[in-house]
């Protein structure tokens, strides 16, 4: 079994994205949440691995390639790059980008298959039942609804078809009791609680053995010893999480350091695969399941479900181009409690940009840095004896890291940001109460001390918002002359990280206000 020192390493994964699609706000949302956690843990002193990538096999991909008149590999080479390009666009800090068509992944999946076969967990039979090509999933009759023309539909709304073909099966039924025991022993294995309850009810309702191979198409990883079969796409896709840490070499340094994964971040539509099938497969192979699976909600657009037919699917590129990268990153994780469904609206994003960012945080930084430039010769001011008001604000800033750490441990991004912005509000009230512009005439030494307190609070805020808004945080810390080596969370423990007399650059605004154009169009769609 792997030896994962949770205090020194952190392994987080996004799902690998299916290449028959183009990146949209939902993909960006999942990877953004992973990116914030990866950045946070790096700043907190941990060795981090953040994995994302693309899922490139299956009947759906084969059909999409055929429709474009190209081979599946050429098709996936092209489309995978669209998802790879999401990282520089959104400033995602992933350490690895995996493709299921890579040789390292083929080796890993085939080794896992052989291991399961050797342990008696796989057998050859025949599958007959309802299958959705779009979802790459099998469904029980009781899960289906009637669609137009008498067609059966999956819970997702996708059409299903009756298939009958030879298939290898994984003995999932044998793992029902062990899965339920896992959920009891580790109540935080699945989050949020509403999703955990759904999974528990599903497993308690009884499990059937899982079909894990197909013979009706060829675009997949061949089953070892029986190349007429290709592996069921989800067995192939899920295995990417251990491929990326070196499986089947369990003695490798990465496997020992990072497995089991600390967190699989997924959308709620694929929770069953990650919280039922995946841990069962791992336990059957004698491997440890991940520590936690979090299923977040979906975004609607101006109150409507996003769909290609409605033309309201929001492309990340257009979001960034219209509102700016860091405002977009902030809005997505601040607007909606993580785990719930949320609605994207232009008005709500502009409200956050002009309110939380420009008016509150941006104005605080601009006021303080401009007063320092004007009244302290553009140098870090001298500190002085701390008053009760000084200490209250500094203590509030000092208390932020454990608060943010606790909220992010539960993937409560909105609460972490609320805690940070509470100190932003405290600092704004402190400026008004202390009135350093008046102290300039009556008590210049006290003015300097007040501005030093505010500058140091800005330093702490800048360090803490780095995971959420890396570019803006860097610009703020640059304006405070905080060297790169002093921007980790370890530097927050320093009573004051600013040396009086240090020259500061000219202040620049952090968040330009969003000004509506006349008859402004809605965000561009893809």
């Amino acid at each position: 079994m792997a030896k994962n020192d949770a205090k020194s390493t952190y392994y987080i994964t996004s799902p690998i994205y299916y290449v028959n699609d183009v990146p949209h706000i939902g993909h960006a949302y999942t990877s953004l949440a992973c990116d914030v956690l990866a950045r946070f843990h790096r700043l907190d002193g941990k060795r981090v691995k953040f994995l994302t990538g693309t899922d490139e096999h299956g009947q759906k991909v084969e059909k999409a390639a055929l429709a474009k008149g190209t081979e599946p590999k050429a098709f996936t080479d092209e489309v995978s790059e669209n998802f790879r390009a999401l990282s520089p666009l959104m400033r995602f800090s992933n350490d690895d980008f995996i493709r299921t068509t890579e040789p390292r992944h083929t080796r890993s999946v085939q080794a896992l298959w052989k291991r399961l076969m050797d342990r008696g967990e796989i057998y050859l039979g025949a599958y007959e039942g309802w299958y959705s090509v779009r979802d790459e999933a099998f469904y029980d009759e009781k899960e289906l609804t009637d669609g137009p023309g008498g067609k059966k539909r999956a819970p997702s709304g996708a059409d299903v078809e009756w298939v009958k073909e030879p298939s290898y099966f994984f003995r999932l039924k044998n793992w029902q009791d062990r899965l339920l025991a896992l959920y009891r022993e580790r109540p935080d294995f699945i989050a949020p609680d509403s999703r955990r309850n759904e999974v528990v009810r599903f497993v308690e309702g009884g499990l059937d053995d899982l079909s894990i191979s197909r013979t009706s198409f060829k675009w997949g990883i061949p089953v070892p010893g029986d190349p007429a079969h290709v592996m069921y796409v989800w067995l192939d896709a899920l295995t990417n999480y251990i491929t990326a840490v070196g499986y089947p070499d369990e003695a490798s340094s990465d496997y020992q350091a990072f497995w089991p994964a600390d967190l699989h971040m997924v959308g709620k539509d694929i929770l069953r695969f990650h919280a039922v099938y995946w841990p069962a497969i791992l336990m059957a192979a004698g491997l440890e399941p991940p520590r936690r699976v979090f299923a977040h909600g979906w975004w609607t657009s101006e109150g409507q479900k996003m769909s290609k037919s409605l033309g309201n699917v929001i492309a990340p590129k257009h979001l960034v181009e219209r509102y700016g990268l860091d405002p977009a990153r902030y809005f997505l994780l601040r607007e909606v409690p993580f785990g719930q469904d949320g609605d994207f609206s232009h008005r709500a994003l502009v409200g956050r940009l002009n309110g939380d960012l420009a008016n509150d945080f941006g104005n605080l930084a601009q006021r303080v840095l401009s007063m320092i430039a004007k009244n302290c010769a553009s140098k870090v001011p001298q500190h002085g004896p701390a008053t009760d008001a000084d200490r209250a604000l500094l203590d509030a800033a000092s208390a932020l890291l454990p608060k943010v750490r606790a909220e992010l441990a539960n993937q409560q991004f909105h609460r972490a940001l609320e805690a940070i912005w509470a100190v932003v509000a405290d600092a704004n009230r402190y400026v008004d109460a202390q009135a350093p512009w008046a102290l300039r005439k009556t008590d210049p030494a006290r003015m300097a001390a007040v501005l030093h307190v505010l500058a140091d609070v800005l330093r702490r805020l800048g360090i803490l918002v780095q995971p959420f808004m890396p570019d803006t945080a860097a610009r703020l810390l640059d304006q405070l002359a905080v060297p790169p080596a002093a921007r980790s969370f370890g530097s927050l423990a320093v009573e004051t990280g600013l040396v009086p007399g240090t020259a500061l650059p000219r202040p620049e605004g952090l968040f330009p206000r969003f000004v509506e154009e006349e008859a402004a169009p809605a965000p561009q769609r893809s």
Side-chain angles (χ1 to χ4, degrees):
M1 293 294 184
K3 303 286 192 290
N4 184 339
D5 180 356
K7 293 183 178 179
S8 64
T9 63
Y10 187 78
Y11 181 27
I12 185 167
T13 70
S14 80
I16 50 173
Y17 301 117
Y18 210 54
V19 293
N20 73 320
D21 205 351
V22 294
H24 55 66
I25 191 174
H27 301 116
Y29 186 51
T30 314
S31 290
L32 172 60
C34 293
D35 181 62
V36 168
L37 291 171
R39 289 177 180 273
F40 181 89
H41 284 284
R42 289 191 196 102
L43 290 165
D44 215 12
K46 293 183 181 178
R47 181 185 169 204
V48 170
K49 186 174 182 69
F50 165 21
L51 175 69
T52 190
T54 44
D55 179 6
E56 303 184 13
H57 289 131
Q59 187 175 11
K60 191 162 50 173
V61 173
E62 189 174 73
K63 286 185 174 181
L66 183 64
K68 287 195 69 173
T70 186
E71 292 297 315
K73 184 61 169 63
F75 174 79
T76 58
D77 285 347
E78 177 183 345
V79 181
S80 179
E81 285 304 308
N82 295 333
F83 286 91
R84 193 184 293 271
L86 197 58
S87 290
L89 173 70
M90 295 294 297
R91 289 277 277 122
F92 297 151
S93 61
N94 51 291
D95 303 284
D96 194 358
F97 186 98
I98 191 168
R99 299 179 58 189
T100 56
T101 50
E102 295 176 20
R104 61 170 171 165
H105 186 64
T106 299
R107 289 192 299 271
S108 173
V109 177
Q110 290 185 330
L112 181 63
W113 180 286
K114 291 175 183 176
R115 185 161 177 168
L116 290 166
M117 182 69 82
D118 290 345
R119 296 168 74 98
E121 298 290 347
I122 293 176
Y123 63 92
L124 181 61
Y127 180 80
E128 185 173 6
W130 294 105
Y131 181 74
S132 164
V133 174
R134 194 183 86 182
D135 296 348
E136 299 282 8
F138 299 100
Y139 291 103
D140 190 270
E141 180 93 34
K142 63 187 178 185
E143 297 181 89
L144 305 181
T145 56
D146 291 326
K151 287 186 176 181
K152 295 290 185 182
R153 286 192 166 174
S156 64
D159 289 339
V160 296
E161 58 189 35
W162 187 264
V163 298
K164 182 178 181 180
E165 61 183 287
S167 178
Y168 284 92
F169 286 81
F170 168 64
R171 299 185 189 277
L172 179 64
K173 188 184 304 183
N174 290 353
W175 291 90
Q176 177 176 340
D177 290 344
R178 185 64 193 91
L179 284 168
L180 292 172
L182 173 67
Y183 306 150
R184 286 193 303 270
E185 294 161 6
R186 293 166 52 184
D188 61 347
F189 176 70
I190 303 168
D193 287 343
S194 59
R195 305 294 172 211
R196 178 184 183 276
N197 295 337
E198 291 173 8
V199 169
V200 170
R201 286 195 298 269
F202 173 75
V203 176
E204 286 177 339
L207 298 175
D208 294 321
D209 289 347
L210 182 66
S211 173
I212 56 172
S213 75
R214 302 291 303 276
T215 58
S216 54
F217 62 92
K218 294 299 182 185
W219 181 239
I221 295 177
V223 167
D226 195 348
H229 291 251
V230 295
M231 294 184 199
Y232 172 48
V233 66
W234 276 101
L235 176 65
D236 168 2
L238 290 164
T239 305
N240 91 90
Y241 302 129
I242 55 175
T243 297
V245 291
Y247 188 82
D249 183 4
E250 294 172 63
S252 69
S253 59
D254 272 5
Y255 194 94
Q256 287 289 309
F258 291 116
W259 194 260
D262 292 274
L263 180 63
H264 289 330
M265 187 73 77
V266 301
K268 64 181 182 180
D269 53 323
I270 56 173
L271 176 60
R272 182 184 301 180
F273 302 101
H274 287 80
V276 180
Y277 305 154
W278 181 227
I281 288 167
L282 289 167
M283 291 189 291
L287 304 173
E288 291 185 61
R291 297 182 187 275
R292 183 172 170 90
V293 180
F294 193 105
H296 64 71
W298 292 339
W299 282 89
T300 54
S301 177
E302 305 288 352
Q304 291 184 303
K305 183 178 179 181
M306 293 190 199
S307 72
K308 293 178 182 177
S309 60
L310 292 175
N312 65 347
V313 176
I314 298 173
K317 181 180 180 182
H318 300 312
L319 195 65
V320 171
E321 288 176 348
R322 185 168 195 197
Y323 303 104
L325 173 58
D326 281 349
R329 286 175 61 111
Y330 175 84
F331 172 81
L332 290 173
L333 293 180
R334 176 64 182 83
E335 183 68 8
V336 178
F338 198 70
Q340 297 181 17
D341 291 344
D343 183 56
F344 175 87
S345 78
H346 169 73
R347 171 182 282 185
L349 198 156
V350 171
R352 291 289 182 190
L353 197 168
N354 288 344
D356 297 7
L357 299 181
N359 287 353
D360 296 343
F361 196 8
N363 190 47
L364 171 67
Q366 186 68 22
R367 293 169 78 190
V368 172
L369 293 170
S370 294
M371 282 188 282
I372 291 174
K374 181 178 179 180
N375 302 310
C376 303
S378 294
K379 295 180 180 179
V380 173
Q382 294 290 328
H383 49 71
T387 66
D388 289 345
D390 299 346
R391 182 51 56 195
L393 180 58
L394 290 168
D395 286 350
S398 297
L400 271 180
L401 178 58
K403 288 182 181 179
V404 172
R405 187 185 284 129
E407 297 296 0
L408 292 189
N410 292 311
Q411 292 77 57
Q412 295 300 294
F413 300 96
H414 66 294
R415 289 182 181 171
L417 288 167
E418 285 173 2
I420 293 171
W421 254 253
V423 174
V424 171
D426 288 343
N428 276 312
R429 285 189 290 268
Y430 174 89
V431 175
D432 293 338
Q434 298 300 315
W437 53 88
L439 289 170
R440 178 176 178 271
K441 297 179 180 178
T442 61
D443 191 346
R446 176 60 189 156
M447 176 204 70
V450 166
L451 292 176
H452 187 96
V453 167
L454 286 164
D456 198 55
V457 169
L458 280 174
R459 176 186 70 91
R460 294 168 188 264
L461 291 169
I463 289 172
L464 280 165
V465 299
Q466 287 177 103
F468 300 93
M469 299 185 290
D471 290 352
T472 303
R475 284 167 41 225
L476 174 58
L477 295 171
D478 285 346
Q479 292 184 59
L480 290 165
V482 178
R487 298 184 182 186
S488 72
F489 293 159
S491 298
L492 292 170
V494 180
E495 182 63 23
T496 174
L498 300 176
V499 179
T502 303
L504 301 181
R506 181 181 177 181
E508 296 180 358
L510 298 179
F511 299 103
R513 290 181 59 80
F514 187 93
V515 179
E516 293 281 5
E517 298 176 8
E518 188 175 349
Q524 296 182 53
R525 315 294 181 178
S526 64

